[in-house]
């Protein structure tokens, strides 16, 4: 953990929590089915280099809640991508009445995260679990992509879930003030957007990963919550 102190504290995050009933899936949304997942798994495996371990690149909640077994992790850099709150959300950490934002990895810049080495198990089963976690609607807002990553021990290839700009919920580049306002105010049955931001920054800093954009956002969100309270 670095010596930097986050402005966004557990106490401030706690002010954003409220009990919210789950409104359920969007009745107008079209969900991916078993055939869709099987096709995506087939395509992804066909593109994977022969031999070697299967690595997953985590840049958000997969860092602290991967929900899949792994045996090793390395800090890794993905060039050509950056973290961005560019995905609209009206469930989970937001509501239809008060839409929020979710983070994705969009084109441009660079993104330092964590490469997770998955166990030598059934790859189809591993991918099926990951795909169903990350992608639910058509057209999906996330898409699987093999990325070449740089690490202190040399390059490696890992699977990442990047933003699909043609996806159903892609919001594009929003103004900083709008992003801050949504992160400081929205909450759903999974908790608040501020809680998500807090965990992203905390878990990055614990691994000595300092994302300047995320660090600025947590400071601005903290100020917004404090001013409102």
């Amino acid at each position: 953990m670095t010596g930097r102190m986050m402005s966004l504290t557990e106490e401030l995050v706690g002010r954003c929590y409220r009990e919210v009933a789950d409104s359920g899936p969007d009745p107008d949304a079209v969900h991916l089915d078993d055939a869709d997942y099987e096709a995506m798994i087939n395509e992804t495996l066909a593109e994977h280099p022969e031999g070697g371990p299967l690595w997953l690149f985590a840049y958000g909640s997969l860092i602290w809640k991967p929900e899949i077994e792994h045996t090793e992790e390395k800090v890794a850099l993905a060039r050509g991508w950056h973290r961005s709150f560019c995905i609209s959300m009206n469930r989970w950490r937001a509501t239809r009445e008060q839409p929020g934002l979710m983070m994705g990895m969009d084109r441009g810049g660079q993104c330092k995260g964590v490469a997770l080495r998955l166990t030598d198990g059934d790859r189809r089963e591993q991918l099926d679990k990951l795909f169903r976690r990350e992608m639910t609607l058509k057209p999906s807002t996330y898409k699987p992509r093999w990325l070449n990553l740089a690490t202190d021990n040399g390059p490696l290839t890992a699977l990442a879930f990047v933003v699909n700009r043609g996806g159903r919920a892609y919001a594009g580049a929003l103004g900083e003030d709008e992003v801050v306002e949504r992160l400081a105010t929205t909450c759903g049955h999974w908790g608040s957007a501020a809680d998500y931001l807090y965990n992203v920054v905390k878990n990055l800093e614990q691994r000595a990963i300092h994302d300047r954009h995320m660090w600025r956002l947590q400071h601005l969100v903290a100020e917004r919550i404090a001013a409102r309270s």
Side-chain angles (χ1 to χ4, degrees), residues 43-64:
E43 182 179 354
T44 301
L45 288 174
E47 294 173 348
H48 185 256
E50 293 294 330
L54 179 60
W55 291 86
L56 172 68
F57 185 60
Y59 57 87
S61 61
L62 281 171
I63 296 175
W64 71 87

Side-chain angles (χ1 to χ4, degrees), residues 97-112:
E97 295 73 28
Q98 193 174 22
L101 294 170
M102 178 52 66
M103 191 178 75
M105 194 162 68
D106 206 352
R107 300 173 195 163
Q110 61 182 28
C111 178
K112 187 174 282 190

